Amino acid sequence: MAPHDAPEPARPAAPADLVDFSVDLTSHEVHRRAQVLAALGPDWDPIEALLGEDAAYDLLYGNLDAEQQRIHDELVAAGVLPARGGGRAAS
């Protein structure tokens, strides 16, 4: 077939040809949450997990020298790190 005889490419559907499509994922979300809680197990304690995260944060950002503290404070001011303990890293 010669290039001038080639068929025209298909055009996208006009907006009037669109079909309203919606999916309710509520039951899927409930199932997903149930699976997450089942994977965590009956011994999972959310308060203990949060306290562990706080302790890890204190270890990570504790005992900073002056330059490290300045950078930490800039990151807190920029919203990169959460403000804790009056905006200062743990000492």
Side-chain angles (χ1 to χ4, degrees):
M1 182 182 300
H4 62 277
D5 294 334
E8 286 188 33
R11 294 183 193 172
D17 296 340
L18 296 178
V19 176
D20 184 28
F21 182 78
S22 63
V23 176
D24 182 7
L25 296 174
T26 305
S27 64
H28 177 74
E29 179 62 14
V30 169
H31 178 71
R32 185 193 68 78
R33 288 181 185 189
Q35 293 297 317
V36 168
L37 291 175
L40 290 171
D43 297 331
W44 180 66
D45 181 0
I47 302 300
E48 183 180 328
L50 289 173
L51 292 174
E53 287 181 19
D54 285 343
Y57 185 96
D58 291 343
L59 286 173
L60 182 62
Y61 296 109
N63 300 319
L64 301 178
D65 64 28
E67 178 65 9
Q68 292 168 333
Q69 185 66 56
R70 183 190 64 77
I71 293 170
H72 177 272
D73 293 343
E74 287 180 9
L75 292 172
V76 170
V80 175
L81 293 175
R84 295 187 54 209
R88 303 290 296 176
S91 343

